[in-house]
């Protein structure tokens, strides 16, 4: 079957499917080979292949304008004992991307055969990998995947996410991603950048509404233990200052509350800079806008608790000792509740 154009949203909506992706393509080829004398045999022995080219995928986002992704080629195949395979190539914000997804055992869960999923995504210098093997005896309603994310700069993801992320240099994150209704968590989380390494967990929980559904605000709990933190790996002064540039006089800035601090520990004026709600990524693509992580919009959507215990703090070649950080976001107010550094041979600053 050949088609010169395809509007997937319109096609699926015509069949009564709601929430279909906004996907169009200039050319589509479909091939189906049916084998078997029963429904089960048809599902296990038949083949299905779909290819598309010159398409566009539009993804809506909560805080930013819709995401426009070009699809230069797409291949989907499944059947005859072979694993499902999806391959996408295209471009986004001037950068090439590729997506490869493989799944096996779609009919094997009832037979005790694991359902395996492998997803690999590459965008510029950023790589994302998700892998999972699911057994039927696993906790119902929970999807667990081994996840890893690495790249040369964290802010390479700005345009994709619509957020102004901190400009961390070469980084690697790994952990177990758990998905269930109303909760997303990353257990056994490991983060490495430069000389710094941190381990812990992140749990995101949606608010249970009176209707029984989940909604905002999202409650985030981040607990990290750091064998070593090199302060030079987290030089964010320019990023924090740039977040306040261009702030309009009538824009709303979230409140910031400070905890106890020693007079010997110098704090930047104002503790945290004013923030900019959004800014253009480039003049060439004004559709993509960034939202500061410190913006009022984020503050209203989140309730967060952050705790970091540091065994050893480094500043260049200087050894500063252990430390402790505790911060919160509650009711639209950011607060640094505790900041402690234990300097060898000296007093502890809190």
């Amino acid at each position: 079957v050949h088609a010169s154009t395809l509007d997937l949203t319109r096609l699926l909506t015509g069949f009564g499917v709601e929430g279909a992706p906004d996907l169009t393509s200039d050319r589509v080829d479909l091939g189906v080979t049916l084998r078997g004398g029963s429904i089960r045999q048809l599902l296990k022995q038949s083949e299905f292949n779909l290819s598309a080219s010159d398409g566009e995928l539009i993804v809506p986002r909560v805080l930013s304008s819709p995401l426009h992704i070009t699809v230069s080629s797409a291949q989907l195949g499944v059947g005859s004992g072979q694993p499902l395979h999806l391959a996408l190539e295209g471009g986004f914000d001037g950068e090439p991307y590729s997506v490869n997804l493989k799944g096996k055992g779609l009919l094997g869960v009832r037979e005790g055969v694991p359902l395996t999923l492998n997803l690999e995504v590459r965008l510029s210098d950023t790589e994302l990998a998700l892998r999972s093997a699911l057994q039927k005896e696993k906790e119902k309603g929970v999807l667990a995947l081994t996840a890893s994310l690495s790249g040369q700069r964290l802010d390479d993801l700005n345009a994709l996410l619509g957020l102004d992320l901190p400009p961390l240099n070469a980084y690697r994150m790994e952990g177990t991603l758990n998905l269930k209704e109303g909760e997303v968590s990353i257990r056994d989380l490991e983060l490495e950048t430069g000389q710094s390494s941190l381990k812990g967990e992140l749990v995101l929980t949606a608010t249970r509404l009176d209707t029984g559904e989940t909604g905002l605000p999202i409650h985030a709990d981040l607990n990290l233990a750091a064998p070593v933190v090199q302060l030079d790996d987290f030089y964010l002064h320019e990023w924090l200052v740039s977040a306040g540039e261009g702030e309009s006089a009538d824009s709303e800035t979230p409140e910031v509350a400070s905890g106890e601090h020693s007079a010997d520990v110098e704090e930047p004026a104002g503790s945290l800079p004013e923030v900019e709600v959004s800014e253009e990524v480039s003049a060439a693509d004004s559709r993509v806008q960034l939202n500061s992580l410190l913006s009022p919009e984020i503050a209203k959507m989140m309730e967060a608790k952050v705790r970091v215990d540091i065994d050893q703090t480094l500043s260049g070649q200087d050894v500063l000792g252990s430390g402790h950080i505790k911060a919160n976001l509650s009711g639209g107010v950011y607060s640094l509740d505790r900041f402690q550094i234990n300097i060898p041979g000296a007093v502890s600053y809190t």
Side-chain angles (χ1 to χ4, degrees):
V1 179
H2 303 278
S4 57
T5 60
L6 172 67
D7 186 333
L8 183 62
T9 306
R10 184 176 180 181
L11 175 64
L12 295 180
T13 301
F15 284 98
V17 178
E18 300 295 335
D22 192 350
L23 174 64
T24 59
S25 177
D26 288 345
R27 179 176 176 82
V28 177
D29 296 309
L30 173 64
V32 179
T33 303
L34 301 178
R35 299 189 183 93
S38 66
I39 297 297
R40 187 172 185 81
Q41 288 179 345
L42 284 172
L43 291 174
K44 296 184 69 173
Q45 299 176 16
S46 299
E47 296 181 6
F48 173 89
N49 293 282
L50 174 69
S51 63
S53 60
D54 299 326
E56 183 180 44
L57 175 64
I58 302 177
V59 181
R61 293 183 293 184
V62 176
L63 292 177
S64 302
S65 56
L67 193 62
H68 292 252
I69 302 175
T70 61
V71 181
S72 58
S73 68
Q75 301 286 335
L76 173 64
V78 65
S80 191
Q82 299 298 316
L84 177 146
H85 182 214
L86 171 66
L88 298 174
E89 291 185 353
F92 165 73
D93 196 41
E95 297 289 346
Y97 74 86
S98 63
V99 177
N100 282 283
L101 170 66
K102 291 185 178 181
K104 189 174 182 180
L106 296 176
L107 299 177
V109 176
R110 296 183 216 166
E111 303 170 355
V113 177
L115 164 62
T116 60
L117 296 173
N118 292 277
L119 172 66
E120 295 181 355
V121 180
R122 176 184 286 271
L123 172 63
S124 185
D125 293 324
T126 303
E127 294 185 13
L128 169 66
L130 297 174
R131 296 177 176 84
S132 179
L134 306 180
Q135 300 279 359
K136 68 175 183 178
E137 60 268 18
K138 293 288 186 181
E139 181 183 350
K140 290 184 178 181
V142 177
L143 176 62
L145 306 101
T146 300
S148 66
L149 177 67
S150 62
Q152 294 303 308
R153 282 182 63 95
L154 185 62
D155 54 2
D156 284 343
L157 297 172
N158 279 2
L160 178 64
L161 301 178
L163 293 173
D164 183 17
L165 299 175
L168 294 183
N169 288 321
Y171 64 92
R172 180 184 66 86
M173 288 183 280
E174 292 185 353
T176 301
L177 178 63
N178 298 279
L179 307 174
K180 66 179 181 180
E181 184 180 3
E183 181 181 297
V184 177
S185 64
I186 304 178
R187 312 288 182 178
D188 303 319
L189 174 63
E190 296 185 9
L191 167 62
E192 294 182 358
T193 179
Q195 295 179 266
S196 304
S197 62
L198 302 97
K199 299 180 180 181
E201 66 176 19
L202 170 64
V203 180
L204 302 173
T205 308
T207 299
R208 181 69 62 176
L209 304 177
D210 294 337
T211 59
E213 300 179 345
T214 56
L216 299 176
I218 302 297
H219 300 267
D221 288 286
L222 177 61
N223 292 282
L224 296 173
V228 60
V229 167
Q230 169 61 259
L231 297 181
D232 293 350
D233 296 331
F234 299 91
Y235 183 74
L236 305 179
H237 176 71
E238 293 182 2
W239 174 70
L240 290 171
V241 171
S242 65
E245 293 179 354
E247 182 76 11
S248 60
D250 60 347
S251 62
E252 180 186 357
T253 302
E255 295 182 51
V256 178
S258 300
E260 267 188 43
H261 302 285
S262 167
D264 298 294
V265 180
E266 184 177 350
E267 293 270 313
S271 294
L272 288 175
E274 293 182 349
V275 297
E276 182 178 5
V277 173
S278 63
E279 63 182 42
E280 293 188 359
V281 174
S282 63
D285 190 358
S286 59
R287 295 175 302 181
V288 182
Q289 294 195 345
L290 302 183
N291 288 274
S292 168
L293 291 178
L294 305 178
S295 70
E297 285 77 8
I298 297 293
K300 292 176 181 178
M301 295 172 60
M302 299 288 295
E303 296 279 324
K305 296 180 180 179
V306 178
R307 179 189 177 100
V308 183
D309 294 307
I310 306 170
D311 291 340
Q312 185 179 66
T313 308
L314 305 177
S315 179
Q317 300 298 319
D318 299 328
V319 179
L320 303 182
S322 60
H324 178 80
I325 299 173
K326 185 178 180 181
N328 286 285
L329 167 59
S330 179
V333 179
Y334 295 93
S335 64
L336 180 60
D337 298 336
R338 189 172 184 182
F339 180 79
Q340 176 178 324
I341 298 178
N342 303 312
I343 300 178
V347 298
S348 297
Y349 292 106
T350 302

